[in-house]
Amino acid sequence: MRTSGSAGGTAPPAPMTAIRFILVFGVVSALMDMVYEGARSVTGPYLGALGASALLVSVVTGAGEAVALVLRLVFGRLADRPALRWTLALSGYALTALSVPLLGITDALWIACLLVLAERLGKAVRSPAKDTMLAEAGSAMGQGKAFALHEALDQVGALVGPLLVGAALALSGSYGPGFLLLAVPGIAAMLILFRLRRRVPDPGVYEPSAAPPAPPSPVPASPVPAQDTIAGKPAPMPRQYWLYAAFSSLTMFGYATFGLLSFHLVATGLLPPSLVPVLYAAAMGVDAVAALVSGWLFDRVGLKVLLALPVLAAAVPWLGFSNSTALAVAGVLLWGAAMGVQESTMRAGVAGLAPVARRGSAYGMFTACYGLAWLAGSFVIGLLYEISVPALAVTVTVVQAAALAVFAVVRPHASGMEGQLPSSGNETT
C-alpha cells in the first residue's frame, strides 16, 4: 500500500469518497463504451460489407482483442508507476475516441482493419492504469463490488451505443453516419476524465492507511519486509496467480468473438444489419446483470464463481452459429453473460492474487496470457467456421472441458482467499 510522506505515515484525506470516484469513472467508461461498443456491434458485418471473409473477420476481431490484452503487458508495467497512470488512461481513451469516428469516412478494407486495431490499442494503453486505480478505490469497499459496479455502469454505455448505431444504420442505410455520431460521447468522456484527474490526482489515497508507528523503544525493532517485496526486490507473482492465468487462457481460447457471431447472423440472413446492434445491446444488458451477480457472489465464495464461464462459453457456438434465428439470438445472449463474468469477476480475482505494488504488471501479464490464447483461438474458430460449424462447436466444447479440468485439478481458488481478500484489501503473496 502507498502512504504519504506526512508524519505518522498516514495517507491524506481523499478529495472524494471511493464510491463516488468509482461512479464518476464508471460514467466515463459508460460514455466511452457507447463509442467502442457501438462500433464493435457492427464490426463483423461492416468488414463483411467491405469484402472480408469469415476467417478475416474472426482473425481481425480476435487480433483486436489480443492487441487490447497482450500489449497490457507493456502498459501494465508502466502502470506500476503511479505518476504515469493518469497519462496512460487519458492517452488510451483519446485513441479510442479518435479512431472510431474515422471508420465513418473510409471504405477501404485495410484502413478499416487498422482502425479496428487502433481502437483496441487504446484499450490496451488505458486498461491496466484504469484497473489499478479502480483496485485502489476498491480497497475501501470490496474489489468484487467495485469492479462489478464499474462494469455495470460500463454496460449502460454498451447498451446505448449500439442502439444509436442501429438507429443511424436503419435511417441512413449505411454504416458511416453511425460511426460519426459516436464522436459526441467520446468528447464528453474526455472532458469528464480531465475533470476527474484534477479532483483525484492520486487514487492511492484510497488504500488503507499504514498502521500507526509503535512508541519509541530503546531497542530498535527489526524491520519487517513489506508484503509486496522480498529482500528489497519486487515479490514474484505467486503460483496461484499463474494457475489462474492458465485456466483463464484456456477459457478464452475457446471463446468466439462477437464479430464472427454477427457476421454469421447477417451472412446467413438470420437478421438484417440494422437489428444486429440491437441484439448486441441486449447482450450488453445481460452482460451487466451477469457482472453484478458474479461480482456479488465473488465477494462471498471467491474464484469458484468462475466455473460458470467455461459452461457458458461452450454453449455459445452450438446456439450462436445455428441456422435458427431463435437459437442464434439465445447464443448471443449467452455470449453476453459470459462476457459479463469475464470482464468483471475475472479482473477482480487478479487484485487478490498479486502483490499490491505490482498490480499493474499483474493485470498486464494476465491479460497478455489470455489475449494470446484468444487470438490463437479466433484463428482456429474462424477456420473451422468456414470448414464445419459442428466441428467448431465440438472443438470449443472440448477446450472448455479442459479449462474446467484445470480449474478442478490445480484449484487456483484454494488459497484461503475465497470470499475474504477482495473485500478486505489484503493480498496474498
Side-chain angles (χ1 to χ4, degrees):
M1 69 189 71
R2 292 204 312 277
T3 58
S4 72
S6 60
T10 58
M16 64 170 61
T17 62
I19 190 170
R20 186 178 178 190
F21 175 84
I22 292 169
L23 287 171
V24 175
F25 220 133
V27 171
V28 171
S29 294
L31 288 168
M32 200 59 71
D33 265 38
M34 290 177 64
V35 179
Y36 75 80
E37 297 288 19
R40 195 159 70 157
S41 69
V42 294
T43 296
Y46 169 65
L47 294 178
L50 295 180
S53 66
L55 177 59
L56 181 60
V57 169
S58 186
V59 169
V60 169
T61 53
E65 299 302 334
V67 165
L69 297 168
V70 175
L71 290 183
R72 295 186 203 186
L73 182 62
V74 175
F75 296 107
R77 292 183 67 86
L78 293 176
D80 282 339
R81 301 169 62 181
L84 292 180
R85 287 174 190 158
W86 275 118
T87 300
L88 292 170
L90 288 164
S91 300
Y93 278 120
L95 184 55
T96 292
L98 178 64
S99 59
V100 167
L102 290 178
L103 285 168
I105 58 175
T106 184
D107 57 2
L109 177 59
W110 70 272
I111 294 177
C113 291
L114 289 178
L115 289 173
V116 169
L117 296 178
E119 184 278 309
R120 295 285 84 189
L121 174 60
K123 191 169 181 66
V125 172
R126 68 180 179 260
S127 289
K130 177 197 69 176
D131 286 343
T132 301
M133 290 190 285
L134 288 172
E136 289 173 328
S139 297
M141 60 178 289
Q143 305 290 5
K145 297 183 185 70
F147 279 97
L149 176 59
H150 179 267
E151 176 68 11
L153 290 169
D154 256 12
Q155 298 318 303
V156 174
L159 180 67
V160 175
L163 293 178
L164 287 178
V165 171
L169 180 57
L171 292 173
S172 68
S174 63
Y175 293 98
F179 289 130
L180 292 173
L181 181 62
L182 296 175
V184 177
I187 293 171
M190 294 305 300
L191 293 175
I192 296 174
L193 194 63
F194 275 110
R195 180 175 176 82
L196 184 61
R197 181 191 185 185
R198 287 196 298 269
R199 289 290 306 276
V200 189
D202 179 19
V205 298
Y206 296 116
E207 291 279 7
S209 60
S217 170
V219 180
S222 299
V224 178
Q227 186 182 21
D228 48 13
T229 62
I230 295 178
K233 297 180 180 180
M237 296 299 169
R239 176 175 176 271
Q240 300 294 68
Y241 168 88
W242 293 113
L243 296 176
Y244 183 48
F247 158 76
S248 303
S249 297
L250 265 177
T251 300
M252 300 312 295
F253 182 87
Y255 192 66
T257 67
F258 183 79
L260 185 57
L261 287 167
S262 59
F263 177 92
H264 172 78
L265 289 168
V266 174
T268 56
L270 295 178
L271 284 181
S274 60
L275 286 184
V276 171
V278 177
L279 177 58
Y280 186 79
M284 292 300 97
V286 174
D287 180 322
V289 174
L292 286 172
V293 172
S294 62
W296 182 84
L297 289 173
F298 176 77
D299 283 337
R300 285 155 179 78
V301 303
L303 292 174
K304 286 184 290 189
V305 69
L306 289 174
L307 286 169
L309 187 54
V311 177
L312 292 171
V316 168
W318 292 103
L319 301 174
F321 293 122
S322 72
N323 291 320
S324 163
T325 300
L327 292 179
V329 167
V332 171
L333 296 180
L334 284 181
W335 178 90
M339 185 62 71
V341 177
Q342 183 263 325
E343 289 187 337
S344 61
T345 309
M346 188 178 283
R347 288 187 297 157
V350 175
L353 290 172
V356 175
R358 299 195 65 199
R359 275 186 184 147
S361 292
Y363 280 116
M365 290 187 290
F366 177 76
T367 54
C369 288
Y370 80 74
L372 287 172
W374 203 352
L375 173 58
S378 295
F379 176 81
V380 172
I381 289 172
L383 186 61
L384 288 174
Y385 176 86
E386 294 193 337
I387 297 173
S388 168
V389 170
L392 185 164
V394 170
T395 301
V396 168
T397 301
V398 171
V399 170
Q400 298 300 344
L404 283 172
V406 168
F407 197 89
V409 173
V410 302
R411 294 174 58 81
H413 55 290
S415 60
M417 63 165 285
E418 293 185 304
Q420 63 183 26
L421 278 183
S423 59
S424 68
N426 300 319
E427 275 69 33
T428 299
T429 58

